[in-house]
Amino acid sequence: MKDGTVLEQETMERVQLDKKSKDREAILQLAGKFKVTFDFAETFSSNSNYIKEENYTNESIEYILVIQDEPDLISLQHILVINDQFVVKHWRQDWLYENQEFLFFDKEGVWEKSCIGPEEAKGTWTQKVFQVDDSPRYQGFGTWVFVDGKSYWEATAAAPLPRRQENRTDYNVLIRNNRISIFPTGWLMEQDNQKVYRNAEGKDECIVWEKGVENQLRGDYNVQPAIDYWEKHQQFWADARAVWQEIIDAQRDELRVHEKLDGKNLYDKIFALDRQFSLENYDQRKNKDHIRQIIAAHQF
């Protein structure tokens, strides 16, 4: 007969396993066919002379597919479909269970490696977000919450400026306070963001707050162009992911990458490489070498 301590331990392990399974189901619900709307509005600034920018709104059809599904890792690739024909490879989100290793954004192209302990990581899921070229964007961790019929996950993470604002110079860090909520009709990402200027000593000055809402409405939308695109290009992007991970792993303390060099964006160069090499006679070794060379030129 098992003693009380062993039974209690086994019960706790079953509860944790059941919770993890429920977490995974929630994450997998982020995949599918959606109409996505993007709405952002600046709300409050302590500077009475600050002039708020105009509200930003946009919409598109988005196909989110599962490209990895393992017990402790779910990877989701976003692909936009514009006017039923034009395809844009969008962001990627990797979900890792009880992850302890992070690449936190500092400022101006610098990401710092950091770790948390096993107790802090216990039961959490890390969302690692990557840019359109599979370079790092931001990373945050938290637990999935299921209470009163609600399903949500929350985290705070520092990030570079969004592409819609990449020419602004009055702030250099976007502190994202994100909540992802699951609904029968789709899912919602609410953001209460701080646009911050971080100086050389690491001191933050909040320029303005921003409210953001990305609403993913599930439906039977035409995503065939995205499916066709991914079928032809998935090997290229698998290799790009592998090269990025190789470069990140090789760094001891931090990763330093210029998003723009000599007036040219890193993502434009990698997309050009994708168009050039995602053909029938695909040369994986040569392709990875080209990706390494492009990224190396942007490192500092």
Side-chain angles (χ1 to χ4, degrees):
M1 182 180 293
K2 299 177 180 178
D3 63 30
T5 303
V6 173
L7 287 172
E8 183 179 356
Q9 179 66 29
E10 289 180 350
T11 300
M12 290 177 62
E13 288 175 355
R14 281 198 301 272
V15 169
Q16 187 174 3
L17 205 59
D18 290 344
K19 173 61 166 60
K20 180 182 177 183
S21 177
K22 196 170 184 179
D23 294 346
R24 283 178 42 82
E25 289 175 10
I27 295 168
L28 288 170
Q29 286 184 59
L30 302 177
K33 308 172 185 178
F34 302 93
K35 179 179 180 180
V36 56
T37 55
F38 305 92
D39 293 286
F40 294 89
E42 292 187 341
T43 56
F44 172 78
S45 174
S46 58
N47 181 354
S48 59
N49 295 319
Y50 180 80
I51 301 174
K52 296 176 185 176
E53 67 177 9
E54 293 184 5
N55 294 352
Y56 174 88
T57 185
N58 207 341
E59 66 176 38
S60 182
I61 301 302
E62 186 154 40
Y63 182 47
I64 305 173
L65 66 153
V66 180
I67 58 174
Q68 281 183 274
D69 185 359
E70 302 170 11
D72 295 337
L73 168 65
I74 298 173
S75 183
L76 306 174
Q77 177 63 59
H78 293 233
I79 303 177
L80 297 177
V81 181
I82 302 167
N83 297 329
D84 285 335
Q85 54 182 322
F86 298 108
V87 171
V88 178
K89 179 183 175 291
H90 208 203
W91 57 294
R92 182 180 109 243
Q93 49 177 324
D94 285 358
W95 290 86
L96 292 86
Y97 185 64
E98 295 188 343
N99 168 64
Q100 294 178 245
E101 297 181 356
F102 293 86
L103 196 62
F104 289 135
F105 181 70
D106 178 30
K107 62 180 184 300
E108 295 155 359
V110 178
W111 282 262
E112 297 180 343
K113 285 190 169 183
S114 184
C115 293
I116 62 173
E119 284 303 311
E120 191 174 4
K122 189 173 182 179
T124 66
W125 284 88
T126 295
Q127 184 201 41
K128 294 190 175 184
V129 171
F130 301 85
Q131 307 196 66
V132 295
D133 57 9
D134 285 310
S135 60
R137 188 83 186 160
Y138 61 88
Q139 302 181 0
F141 68 101
T143 54
W144 277 92
V145 177
F146 306 99
V147 62
D148 296 335
K150 300 175 183 178
S151 305
Y152 66 90
W153 173 93
E154 294 179 322
T156 297
L161 274 61
R163 286 178 61 187
R164 60 189 164 84
Q165 296 198 322
E166 59 188 2
N167 293 323
R168 281 188 59 165
T169 58
D170 58 332
Y171 78 102
N172 56 3
V173 179
L174 185 70
I175 298 179
R176 305 172 59 107
N177 300 289
N178 285 359
R179 172 186 277 211
I180 294 176
S181 302
I182 308 292
F183 300 99
T185 55
W187 57 278
L188 189 72
M189 183 160 67
E190 297 176 84
Q191 304 170 41
D192 289 297
N193 300 327
Q194 299 175 64
K195 296 178 179 179
V196 163
Y197 184 79
R198 181 169 293 170
N199 66 18
E201 289 74 41
K203 184 178 179 181
D204 290 350
E205 177 190 358
C206 182
I207 306 302
V208 66
W209 283 79
E210 174 188 69
K211 181 68 178 181
V213 178
E214 298 183 26
N215 189 12
Q216 301 272 359
L217 180 64
R218 192 181 301 276
D220 188 20
Y221 304 108
N222 176 25
V223 297
Q224 191 60 47
I227 295 171
D228 295 342
Y229 169 85
W230 194 248
E231 184 177 343
K232 294 178 181 178
H233 297 259
Q234 60 181 313
Q235 184 59 59
F236 174 90
W237 291 112
D239 290 339
R241 294 194 301 274
V243 171
W244 273 113
Q245 192 59 55
E246 167 192 307
I247 290 171
I248 291 168
D249 291 344
Q251 310 306 306
R252 181 176 178 182
D253 299 313
E254 61 186 21
L255 174 72
R256 292 172 168 261
V257 179
H258 289 297
E259 284 193 56
K260 184 176 287 189
L261 188 65
D262 298 328
K264 295 181 179 180
N265 292 310
L266 173 59
Y267 61 79
D268 284 333
K269 296 177 184 179
I270 294 184
F271 272 110
L273 201 62
D274 172 41
R275 290 190 295 271
Q276 181 180 354
F277 285 98
S278 289
L279 303 172
E280 291 182 7
N281 299 319
Y282 186 81
D283 188 325
Q284 187 178 52
R285 183 189 60 79
K286 184 181 293 185
N287 179 65
K288 282 187 171 182
D289 285 343
H290 283 298
I291 296 172
R292 288 189 193 98
Q293 291 168 18
I294 290 174
I295 296 171
H298 279 254
Q299 288 184 267
F300 65 98

